[in-house]
């Protein structure tokens, strides 16, 4: 149940820009019931979260970095004339794990967004006032879900505040 509640919040954060930037993008479907809204959020969130990305380039790079790191921790390459810190820096420069993790996450988010789109949802940008009101509501709470649903189900909001799927 707790996972389902967290996944429902995915509708609002799937395309959210960085904190402190412009207001976030959420997904709406005019007239959608709260129960259907939550069910679609859970279904699409799971579709993205459980997507097999193991054969993608970003996942392979992250795995290679982890394997390299494990080998280096178990059998340090002291013969290379570098400290462990220098070796770790070299691994980060070579494999760029943070960038690769972000790329892998983007693949999963794209799948989630595709699912939402296929279920009839369209992205819309929250106004600054809506964004401020949303930020005052704790993540995962029924009040936050109800607030997001009220915005997402309103045809005037979804239409007037339409955003591209990439959040622009």
């Amino acid at each position: 149940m707790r996972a389902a509640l967290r996944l429902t919040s995915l509708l609002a954060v799937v395309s959210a820009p960085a904190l402190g930037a412009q207001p976030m993008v959420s997904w709406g479907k005019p007239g959608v019931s709260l129960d259907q809204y939550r069910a679609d959020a859970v279904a699409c969130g799971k579709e993205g979260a459980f997507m097999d990305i193991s054969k993608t380039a970003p996942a392979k790079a992250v795995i290679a970095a982890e394997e390299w790191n494990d080998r280096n921790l178990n059998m340090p390459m002291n013969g290379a004339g570098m400290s462990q810190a220098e070796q770790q820096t070299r691994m980060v420069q070579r494999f760029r794990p943070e960038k690769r993790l972000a790329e892998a996450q983007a693949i999963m988010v794209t799948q989630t967004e595709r699912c939402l789109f296929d279920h009839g949802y369209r992205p819309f940008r929250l106004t600054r006032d809506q964004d401020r009101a949303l930020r005052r509501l704790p993540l995962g709470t029924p009040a936050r879900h109800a607030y997001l649903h009220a915005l997402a189900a309103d045809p005037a909001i979804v239409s007037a505040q339409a955003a591209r799927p990439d959040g622009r």
Side-chain angles (χ1 to χ4, degrees), residues 54-104:
S54 63
K55 296 192 180 7
T56 66
K60 287 180 180 180
V62 169
I63 291 167
E66 286 300 316
E67 289 172 349
W68 188 91
N69 199 33
D70 285 347
R71 274 193 311 273
N72 190 42
L73 290 174
N74 292 326
M75 298 182 342
M77 301 183 327
N78 293 334
M82 293 185 283
S83 69
Q84 259 192 311
E86 291 169 319
Q87 292 173 40
Q88 189 72 18
T89 300
R90 179 171 281 179
M91 183 278 298
V92 169
Q93 290 170 341
R94 179 176 177 201
F95 294 107
R96 303 174 72 197
E98 292 87 11
K99 179 179 187 275
R100 297 307 191 159
L101 282 171
E103 291 168 352

Side-chain angles (χ1 to χ4, degrees), residues 18-19 25 30 48 51 63 79 107 127 129 147 154:
L19 288 175
V25 171
M51 180 181 179
I63 291 167
I107 292 168
T127 65
D129 288 342
Y147 180 73
D154 186 326

